[in-house]
Amino acid sequence: MAAHPRLICASADLAEGGPGVRFDIEHSGEAVPAFAVRFRGRVHAYVNRCQHVGIELDWLPGQFFDDSRLYLICATHGATYRPDTGECAGGPCRGGKLTRLPVSEREGAVFLEWKADD
Ligand code: FES
């Protein structure tokens, strides 16, 4: 299947260090939860699966940043991740890394640049 951009949201929906936008990707015929956030001006997107137990990071939908707004945090046991790379920054993720998804931003909109079943 050819890669084709898919609209995630309007650029204005992602404020710096603010709430993320949740969306799904399709993988092996299943819907997999994912999310996008804005950090230092750029949009970053990841599969919404903590590297500790494998559950979604946000307890309150869209709340991915910690209080400092410098890290993404898993609400369940407090694993923290770097928003720009997805690398574990502390807590029980222990060297794990969020699965990064390619995104682009143009003309006021954010797009997923990922094909199903990559
Ligand atoms: S499931 Fe995320 S820190 Fe435990």
Side-chain angles (χ1 to χ4, degrees), residues 1-74:
M1 191 182 297
H4 58 277
R6 194 185 106 197
L7 179 67
I8 297 177
C9 62
S11 292
D13 292 342
L14 287 175
E16 177 68 31
V21 168
R22 294 167 52 100
F23 60 97
D24 285 337
I25 58 170
E26 189 188 322
H27 188 58
S28 300
E30 301 209 355
V32 175
F35 66 97
V37 292
R38 187 181 300 281
F39 181 68
R40 294 186 176 148
R42 293 197 56 189
V43 175
H44 302 275
Y46 299 99
V47 171
N48 192 358
R49 185 185 297 134
C50 184
Q51 295 301 295
H52 179 216
V53 176
I55 58 176
E56 295 179 33
L57 277 71
D58 54 332
W59 195 343
L60 295 171
Q63 298 302 307
F64 294 100
F65 279 100
D66 69 356
D67 289 344
S68 75
R69 299 187 172 203
L70 295 176
Y71 298 99
L72 305 175
I73 188 166
C74 177

